[in-house]
Amino acid sequence: MSITDKSPEAAAETARLMDAVYRNQRHFYDLTRKYYLLGRDRLIDRLDLPGGATVLELGCGTGRNLIAAAKRYPDARFFGVDISEHMLETARHNVARAGLSDRIFFRQGDAADPSAADAFGLETFDRVIYSYTLSMIPVWREALKAGMARLAPDGRLSVVDFGQQEGMPGLFKTLLFLWLSKFHVSPRADLKRELGQLSAANGAILEATDLYRGYAWYAEISRPAGYSPATK
């Protein structure tokens, strides 16, 4: 199958792969990833949620980001989609342990499928977030479009992921990319351009910045208050 294959068979194969990758890693994922998944807290800091807001994370993993955000915004509701049932098992356990099962909800599904969030019963969400997810999704462009389709008027879509290491020594970049490939992670060289095209197509505003000398990249797409998905 091509890495751009959007078929149900391709999604099922990706689910099997991610379950295999995280079957054991999920137990110590958060402990190790905090040292190199940089910029996640910046994303949470900048959520700036209005009262009663809803947040959708596509590729939510262990639920780490949603738990941190839920503690900061006690009147908001949070929803996570992940293709790995193993990761979701850990996420549900973490949420229950944090006492947040009444405000954080999960569904197994493909982030590139616009209908993956249908089960939550909400047409749109005030915030849609991707945290080190797009570099792991084979059809990452489709995943971005799926999230944009779920973004409410006056909503914001936020992305943090690996950059292209522009300010880092060449050897560091080479070794980092080799190491990431062992976990099926591919930093997206076209991410900036894709977000620019996506924001332009939706009459939205893109703000983006490099973090840590290009180690990571952070971006926000803000949708105008008057925008309606029905007019696309």
Side-chain angles (χ1 to χ4, degrees):
M1 295 178 183
S2 166
I3 61 171
T4 59
D5 191 348
K6 296 189 293 181
S7 68
E9 293 80 8
E13 180 60 30
T14 299
R16 286 191 290 270
L17 174 62
M18 291 299 99
D19 274 341
V21 168
Y22 292 117
R23 179 174 289 109
N24 296 317
Q25 284 193 49
R26 62 195 172 103
H27 299 298
F28 51 86
Y29 183 93
D30 290 329
L31 180 63
T32 58
R33 265 55 175 186
K34 68 179 181 180
Y35 296 109
Y36 63 89
L37 298 188
L38 308 179
R40 295 183 299 172
D41 290 336
R42 177 191 180 95
L43 186 153
I44 295 169
D45 289 342
R46 291 182 57 84
L47 282 176
D48 188 27
L49 299 180
T54 55
V55 179
L56 172 66
E57 182 171 18
L58 293 174
C60 61
T62 63
R64 180 263 186 194
N65 298 324
L66 297 182
I67 291 171
K71 290 178 178 179
R72 186 170 302 189
Y73 299 97
D75 62 343
R77 291 181 295 154
F78 301 85
F79 305 85
V81 171
D82 202 278
I83 203 165
S84 169
E85 187 57 47
H86 285 313
M87 289 294 261
L88 290 178
E89 180 182 341
T90 297
R92 294 184 184 103
H93 171 77
N94 292 342
V95 166
R97 185 172 58 184
L100 295 168
S101 298
D102 60 333
R103 293 197 295 119
I104 302 179
F105 310 93
F106 298 109
R107 292 290 185 275
Q108 193 276 339
D110 183 359
D113 180 359
S115 67
D118 283 354
F120 297 129
L122 297 173
E123 183 177 349
T124 60
F125 300 83
D126 298 297
R127 301 288 185 269
V128 176
I129 63 176
Y130 305 80
S131 174
Y132 286 92
T133 298
L134 298 173
S135 54
M136 295 197 69
I137 299 176
V139 286
W140 61 275
R141 292 179 177 85
E142 287 77 5
L144 274 173
K145 293 175 182 177
M148 198 71 189
R150 289 287 186 171
L151 190 62
D154 204 24
R156 188 163 68 237
L157 182 151
S158 302
V159 176
V160 64
D161 215 315
F162 289 106
Q164 292 298 300
Q165 317 303 310
E166 295 91 341
M168 296 295 189
L171 180 60
F172 177 89
K173 175 178 179 177
T174 298
L175 293 176
L176 176 65
F177 280 24
L178 283 173
W179 182 69
L180 291 175
S181 68
K182 296 180 183 298
F183 301 96
H184 305 280
V185 177
S186 301
R188 306 303 183 187
D190 293 337
L191 180 57
K192 295 181 182 181
R193 182 173 62 185
E194 190 67 28
L195 286 171
Q197 293 175 348
L198 186 63
S199 60
N202 287 272
I205 299 170
L206 172 65
E207 297 183 16
T209 185
D210 290 320
L211 303 177
Y212 316 112
R213 299 173 60 190
Y215 178 87
W217 200 62
Y218 179 79
E220 296 175 351
I221 295 179
S222 300
R223 170 164 278 170
Y227 179 88
S228 171
T231 65
K232 285 183 62 178

